[in-house]
């Protein structure tokens, strides 16, 4: 995953037109001094392949604004209202696509600047060897910049809008983009918040405006060992940016010589996406026909690893229903398509590029508990991934062999070996003892920020350790009772089951809502889950996993 950030100073920012109370959380926050170096340090871990900074200076005279772009490595972040406006863009890249090394921020001939953390799996058509960030740069560069038509095609030039382009992307994304000719900053994240983007909105007493994939640990913010053990302090400097497409046009015409930026939020323009977010389902109460019992049994069929179709599977003797119902079948196909997109577009599969022999190269790993979500992911991945690649199954335990997840992971491994005997599966056992993880705990506390509950911390530590991939594997593949040897998974792509419980009603409280309010009650609870998943889960998960230079891939 990549890490992106922006710092703005010298511009009076007006956020009064935003539909949410964006300042209440920050009002009592400390006036932190966050330096470019702090941001770079935090982002570098997410994007190990390259790191860059670009600075845009805005000067105004006679109501005209001129812009200058330069490299900049100096510290910043105490806004000085008398000076010119300054915007610093930082981009750290984990590159999975394209054949030429990519260094962010990208700057085009029109002096637009892009930092992008995302994946284009569909919606926009790009060639398979093309880097998606570069493609997006070109596409955004062709958008209208008249400044008055913020959505739809421009009546004057006929060009599309930036909001339309971003609404069309199928895949996770977070973006910061400077459109130079219109002096407009664009930023935002996808409709489910699958990529983290934190914001510090300016307040009356702190004019700093910051965006960042992750919050840096400022020196005065470092948790002491005591804090790590005894509690999680309440940090409110950062908040999760609510999902959406935002623009900030910088102007100097009516402002007594000050540069002024007005932040606006724009609705996604893709109607399917809008329906998805609203969670208005065509059928909430299943028909009795849909509720009939059935026997879903997975068939691997032939080893046709790149075919997206699954077979209809006859039931065991004695059942009256003979096949997986059509909807379940459709769901499996969609999931499989999703795995194919997440495993076929990356150039890193061409092991030759990385100089590693194919049989030693493990490009994808799964965060694995042996539970339903991770088993389905593993079975689907086996169907989509070239059979020569090994697959790492990363399992974390805080209670050695006794933890239920470790036991189910081992059972799951046996099952996978049975259904996919020709694949080499490697169970990576990551054993940890929370009392030994003092500095790691402190680090993860900063990663989960602004999430701050013990549950967030526990999940965050498990995800962070899993994505480190540092554990033990069985010395002998055919005998899992024997000696273990040290192993570190270097897979850059991690498939994760995040979001499955929200979308498939996997939590205990879903059962409670069903008991209390039947199908409508359950639907309400799931809607709530999906509409807050950006705030509660996905940003946090992104930050903990990406910190180890890995790409989190959830099948949403
Ligand atoms: N900018 C990025 O997010 C990286 C790009 N999607 C890649 O895979 O190379």
């Amino acid at each position: 995953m990549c890490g992106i950030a922006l710092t703005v100073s010298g511009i009076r920012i007006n956020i009064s037109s935003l539909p949410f109370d964006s300042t209440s959380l920050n009002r009592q926050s400390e006036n932190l001094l966050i330096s470019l170096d702090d941001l770079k340090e935090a982002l570098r871990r997410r994007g190990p392949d390259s790191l860059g900074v670009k600075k845009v200076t805005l000067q105004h005279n006679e109501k005209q604004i001129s812009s200058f772009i330069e490299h900049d490595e100096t510290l910043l972040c105490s806004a000085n209202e008398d000076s010119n406006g300054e915007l610093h863009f930082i981009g750290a890249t984990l590159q999975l696509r394209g054949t030429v090394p990519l260094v962010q921020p990208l700057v085009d001939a029109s002096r637009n600047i892009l930092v992008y953390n995302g994946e284009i799996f569909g919606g926009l058509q790009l060639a398979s060897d093309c880097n998606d960030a570069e493609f997006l740069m070109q596409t955004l560069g062709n958008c209208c910049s008249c400044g008055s038509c913020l959505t739809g095609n421009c009546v004057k030039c006929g060009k599309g809008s930036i909001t339309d382009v971003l609404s069309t992307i199928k895949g996770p994304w977070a973006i910061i983009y400077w459109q130079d000719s219109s002096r407009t900053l664009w930023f935002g994240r996808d409709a489910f918040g699958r990529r983290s983007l934190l914001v510090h909105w300016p307040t009356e007493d702190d004019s700093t405006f910051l965006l960042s994939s992750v919050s840096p640990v400022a020196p005065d913010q470092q948790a002491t060992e005591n804090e790590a053990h005894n509690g999680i302090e309440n940090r409110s400097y950062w908040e999760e940016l609510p999902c959406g497409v935002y623009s900030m046009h910088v102007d100097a015409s009516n402002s007594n010589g000050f540069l002024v930026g007005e932040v606006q939020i724009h609705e996604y323009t893709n109607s399917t996406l809008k329906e998805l977010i609203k969670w208005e389902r065509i059928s909430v109460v299943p028909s009795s026909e849909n509720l009939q019992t059935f026997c879903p049994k997975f068939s691997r069929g032939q080893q046709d690893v790149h075919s997206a179709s699954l077979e209809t599977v006859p039931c065991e003797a004695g059942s009256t229903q003979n096949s997986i119902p059509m909807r379940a079948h459709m769901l499996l196909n969609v999931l499989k398509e999703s795995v194919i997109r997440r495993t076929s577009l990356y150039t890193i599969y061409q092991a030759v590029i990385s100089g590693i022999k194919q049989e030693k190269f493990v490009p994808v790993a799964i965060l694995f508990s042996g539970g339903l979500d991770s088993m389905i992911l593993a079975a689907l991945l086996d169907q989509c991934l070239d059979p020569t690649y090994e697959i790492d199954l990363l399992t974390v335990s805080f209670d050695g062999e006794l933890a239920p997840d470790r036991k189910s992971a081992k059972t799951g491994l046996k099952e996978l070996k049975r259904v996919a005997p020709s694949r080499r599966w490697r169970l990576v056992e990551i054993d940890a003892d929370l009392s030994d993880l003092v500095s790691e705990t402190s680090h993860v506390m900063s990663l989960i920020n602004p999430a701050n509950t013990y549950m967030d911390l526990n999940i965050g530590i498990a995800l962070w350790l899993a994505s480190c991939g540092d554990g033990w594997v069985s010395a002998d593949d055919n005998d899992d009772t024997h000696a273990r040897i040290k192993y570190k998974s270097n897979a850059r792509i991690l498939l994760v089951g995040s979001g499955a419980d929200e979308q498939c009603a996997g939590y205990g409280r879903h059962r409670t809502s069903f008991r209390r309010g039947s199908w409508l009650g359950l639907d309400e609870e799931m809607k709530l889950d999906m509409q807050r998943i950006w705030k509660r889960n996905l940003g946090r998960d992104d930050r903990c996993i990406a910190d180890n230079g890995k790409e989190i891939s959830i099948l949403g």
Side-chain angles (χ1 to χ4, degrees):
M1 222 131 34
C2 302
I4 60 176
L6 166 84
T7 67
V8 179
S9 60
I11 299 176
R12 291 187 172 183
I13 294 171
N14 176 2
I15 51 175
S16 59
S17 73
L18 294 181
F20 42 82
D21 184 6
S22 46
T23 52
S24 61
L25 282 173
N26 284 332
R27 226 159 232 147
Q28 283 125 30
S29 71
E30 290 167 73
N31 202 337
L32 288 181
L33 266 191
I34 291 178
S35 72
L36 274 192
D37 281 343
D38 295 334
L39 286 167
K40 275 156 63 180
E41 221 38 62
L43 298 180
R44 195 188 303 275
R45 293 182 56 88
R46 298 174 57 98
D49 295 333
S50 65
L51 176 82
V53 183
K54 291 275 184 283
K55 174 176 147 188
V56 174
T57 306
L58 299 176
Q59 278 178 2
H60 56 99
N61 35 37
E62 303 289 316
K63 310 210 165 175
Q64 291 285 325
I65 303 177
S66 327
S67 69
F68 306 90
I69 299 178
E70 52 184 284
H71 295 274
D72 189 279
E73 300 288 326
T74 54
L75 302 182
L76 157 119
C77 274
S78 51
N80 175 359
E81 305 238 334
D82 295 332
S83 76
N84 300 312
E86 283 183 357
L87 298 92
H88 284 78
F89 297 81
I90 313 173
T93 304
L94 171 76
Q95 186 172 358
L96 302 171
R97 297 167 78 167
T99 47
V100 177
L102 178 87
V103 181
Q104 300 195 72
L106 299 175
V107 183
D108 68 12
S110 310
R111 292 142 38 92
N112 302 315
I113 299 183
L114 172 69
V115 281
Y116 174 68
N117 172 29
E119 294 303 329
I120 300 179
F121 292 129
L124 301 170
Q125 301 309 318
L126 62 157
S128 61
D129 59 349
C130 180
N131 181 274
D132 51 344
E134 278 173 344
F135 181 84
L136 192 59
M137 183 67 176
Q138 280 166 25
T139 311
L140 293 173
N142 291 330
C143 286
C144 169
S145 61
C146 77
S148 48
C149 51
L150 296 169
T151 59
N153 277 23
C154 176
V155 279
K156 286 186 216 143
C157 66
K159 289 182 178 174
S161 72
I162 289 181
T163 313
D164 285 348
V165 170
L166 296 179
S167 302
T168 311
I169 296 175
K170 287 190 177 165
W173 56 268
I175 193 172
I176 306 170
Y177 178 69
W178 172 249
Q179 191 182 48
D180 193 62
S181 57
S182 67
R183 309 282 189 253
T184 304
L185 179 79
W186 292 85
F187 55 97
R189 60 200 285 219
D190 76 68
F192 299 101
R194 288 168 291 177
R195 288 290 181 263
S196 168
L197 196 56
L198 302 180
V199 61
H200 172 76
W201 297 112
T203 56
E204 273 162 30
D205 48 358
D206 173 11
S207 61
T208 316
F209 173 46
L210 299 171
L211 291 167
S212 176
S213 303
V214 65
S215 70
V217 188
D220 58 340
Q221 236 186 336
Q222 299 268 11
T224 62
E225 287 189 10
N226 248 2
E227 280 172 326
H229 280 304
N230 298 329
I232 304 178
E233 85 232 68
N234 188 11
R235 299 170 183 168
S236 56
Y237 188 81
W238 295 95
E239 60 184 281
E240 295 270 359
L241 179 75
C243 300
V245 177
Y246 299 76
S247 68
M248 182 182 87
H249 173 60
V250 182
D251 196 5
S253 48
N254 302 312
S255 56
N256 302 328
F258 290 112
L259 289 173
V260 173
E262 187 180 338
V263 180
Q264 285 180 286
I265 184 165
H266 311 280
E267 264 195 45
Y268 302 103
T269 52
N270 178 327
S271 53
T272 319
L273 193 59
K274 286 207 274 203
E275 269 172 42
L276 261 177
I277 310 168
K278 281 196 211 134
W279 192 258
E280 273 163 17
R281 310 182 114 190
I282 305 167
S283 138
V284 172
V285 181
S287 65
S288 53
E289 194 187 310
N290 286 150
L291 287 172
Q292 277 174 0
T293 49
F294 61 89
C295 184
K297 183 179 169 190
F298 219 91
S299 165
R300 299 193 70 241
Q302 302 294 303
Q303 285 276 333
D304 177 10
V305 290
H306 286 291
S307 145
S309 70
L310 291 171
E311 290 163 28
T312 299
V313 185
C315 257
E316 305 290 335
S319 166
T320 46
Q321 281 288 307
N322 275 351
S323 63
I324 295 178
M326 198 179 67
R327 279 167 200 276
H329 192 96
M330 281 160 63
L331 176 62
L332 270 178
N333 277 341
V334 168
L335 281 175
K336 190 169 178 184
E337 177 62 33
S338 186
V339 175
I340 287 172
R341 288 187 192 200
R342 280 157 179 79
T343 51
S344 61
L345 294 170
Y346 300 127
T347 25
I348 58 158
Y349 290 104
Q350 297 154 19
V352 194
I353 293 175
S354 59
I356 306 170
K357 271 172 74 193
Q358 185 121 325
E359 63 274 15
K360 291 271 178 278
F361 183 53
V362 186
V364 197
I366 299 173
L367 263 55
F368 190 73
S369 64
L372 199 55
D373 309 341
S374 58
M375 284 295 282
I376 291 174
L377 282 183
L380 287 172
L381 179 60
D382 174 59
Q383 298 196 347
C384 302
L385 192 65
D386 187 291
T388 54
Y389 290 122
E390 299 171 13
I391 296 176
D392 285 348
L393 305 169
L394 310 173
T395 174
V396 177
S397 169
F398 295 106
D399 199 9
E401 300 296 301
L402 300 174
D405 273 13
R406 178 58 56 83
K407 288 184 187 157
S408 60
K410 291 201 159 177
T411 316
L413 174 69
K414 282 198 186 119
E415 179 74 5
L416 289 171
K417 282 182 174 172
R418 195 177 62 75
V419 296
S422 51
R423 172 76 61 187
R424 181 146 186 240
W425 302 97
R426 196 188 280 113
L427 188 69
V428 184
E429 300 176 7
I430 299 163
D431 296 329
D433 181 342
L434 275 181
S435 57
D436 291 341
L437 297 175
V438 176
S439 66
E440 289 86 347
T441 302
S442 165
H443 180 61
V444 174
M445 277 165 63
S446 122
L447 292 175
I448 61 171
N449 184 21
N452 61 3
T453 68
Y454 280 107
M455 199 188 357
D456 291 315
L457 182 58
N458 289 338
I459 295 171
I461 291 180
L463 291 176
W464 188 81
L465 288 171
S467 61
C468 277
D470 214 343
W472 299 87
V473 292
S474 171
D476 179 353
D477 254 5
N478 300 316
D479 183 359
D480 54 9
T481 58
H482 280 101
R484 303 191 304 172
I485 49 172
K486 269 295 220 186
Y487 175 80
K488 183 164 169 58
S489 172
N490 288 319
R492 281 190 149 200
I493 298 161
L494 301 191
L495 291 189
V496 186
S498 301
D501 287 321
E502 285 78 3
Q503 292 178 78
C504 302
Y507 293 124
R509 61 187 158 74
H510 289 133
R511 196 180 305 123
T512 313
S513 353
F514 178 70
R515 282 200 189 119
R516 287 201 188 124
S518 191
W519 295 105
L520 289 176
L522 174 61
D523 186 59
E524 274 306 307
E525 185 75 13
M526 292 173 76
K527 178 178 185 169
L528 188 69
D529 277 340
M530 287 310 291
Q531 292 184 340
R532 66 186 177 187
I533 197 167
W534 59 274
K535 193 169 188 177
R536 283 169 59 117
N537 310 60
L538 298 183
R540 173 200 67 201
D541 296 356
D542 162 312
R543 292 190 291 279
C544 293
I545 290 177
D547 188 60
N548 289 305
K550 307 280 166 110
E551 172 82 7
I552 176 175
S553 220
I554 58 174
L555 304 192

